[in-house]
Amino acid sequence: VIQYLREHPGESGIIYCATRKNVDKLQQLLAQYGFAVTSYHAGLPAETRRKNQNDFIYDAAPVIVATNAFGMGIDKSNVSFVIHYNMPKNMESYYQEAGRAGRDGEAADCILLYNGQDVRTAEFLIEHSHENEDESMDEKTRRQLIERDMERLKQMTFYATSKRCLRAFLLRYFGEEAPDDCGSCSVCE
């Protein structure tokens, strides 16, 4: 991440992390290296979140490190990269978050960093994601939702480890036709 930011000085981007702890640690590290970076997650006070979001939107801090709590309703056209520091739990989240880059029509980078610990973290988050939902949800329904989310995680893991065109994988996942080689993803290049 540090190397990428050094090679793209001043560019605006979002770095997604799976946990608040990772957001805080990565934001602090990047700030120590001199990058104008802020953070966003649900554990921050509302006023801090609002300030950090505005700093990002108005380029006082062109890079924001955030959980998936960030981004809904944000329409910043000059986002030139999205980095997933941790693999998202599903393709739907990845697609939505990656789509926040390049809205100005310019080329943009979407980088997914992956390691096996990401899967274990996502499994933990999935196992505990439906605990605080509607108390009328029975255990069978809760287990079905967890199984569905685990299957989505498996597809995300296949994507992250694929040796075939990533664009084709993504398009086919969403039921679209795709050529076998896009010529611009990390696999095709």
Side-chain angles (χ1 to χ4, degrees):
V1 172
I2 291 168
Q3 179 182 341
Y4 182 87
L5 294 179
R6 282 180 175 156
E7 292 171 357
H8 297 86
E11 290 185 14
S12 183
I14 305 169
I15 304 172
Y16 283 105
C17 296
T19 65
R20 296 174 186 180
K21 181 179 175 181
N22 282 354
V23 167
D24 292 339
K25 287 171 68 175
L26 183 58
Q27 187 274 331
Q28 290 169 7
L29 175 69
L30 295 176
Q32 287 173 357
Y33 274 85
F35 296 107
V37 59
T38 192
S39 63
Y40 189 101
H41 60 70
L44 296 171
E47 184 56 37
T48 302
R49 286 194 312 267
R50 192 172 16 266
K51 179 195 178 306
N52 292 355
Q53 179 175 310
N54 285 336
D55 285 351
F56 174 69
I57 290 171
Y58 299 111
D59 290 323
V63 177
I64 191 163
V65 182
T67 60
N68 63 359
F70 180 77
M72 295 302 285
I74 301 297
D75 190 21
K76 182 174 165 106
S77 65
N78 70 332
V79 174
S80 62
F81 67 87
V82 170
I83 298 174
H84 283 89
Y85 188 74
N86 304 112
M87 182 184 75
K89 293 184 291 187
N90 56 58
M91 296 291 291
E92 291 81 2
S93 295
Y94 177 74
Y95 185 76
Q96 181 181 44
E97 293 160 5
R100 295 195 172 107
R103 291 186 176 177
D104 57 3
E106 298 295 321
D109 292 327
C110 295
I111 299 167
L112 171 62
L113 303 176
Y114 167 82
N115 89 43
Q117 183 61 41
D118 292 342
V119 176
R120 290 184 285 288
T121 300
E123 287 171 341
F124 176 84
L125 294 172
I126 289 168
E127 284 289 338
H128 296 87
S129 65
H130 301 290
E131 289 178 350
N132 298 324
E133 289 184 6
D134 184 0
E135 292 181 15
S136 66
M137 182 188 305
D138 62 23
E139 183 59 21
K140 180 180 177 186
T141 303
R142 190 177 88 75
R143 288 303 318 159
Q144 287 173 334
L145 290 173
I146 289 170
E147 287 174 27
R148 177 203 66 193
D149 291 349
M150 289 294 189
E151 178 58 33
R152 289 178 175 172
L153 173 60
K154 185 167 43 169
Q155 292 301 314
M156 187 69 226
T157 304
F158 290 159
Y159 175 83
T161 59
S162 180
K163 303 292 186 231
R164 294 190 175 167
C165 177
L166 298 174
R167 180 171 170 76
F169 187 107
L170 193 62
L171 290 172
R172 289 182 183 134
Y173 177 84
F174 290 106
E176 297 182 34
E177 293 295 317
D180 290 331
D181 182 346
C182 74
S184 63
C185 74
S186 60
V187 174
C188 293
E189 286 184 336

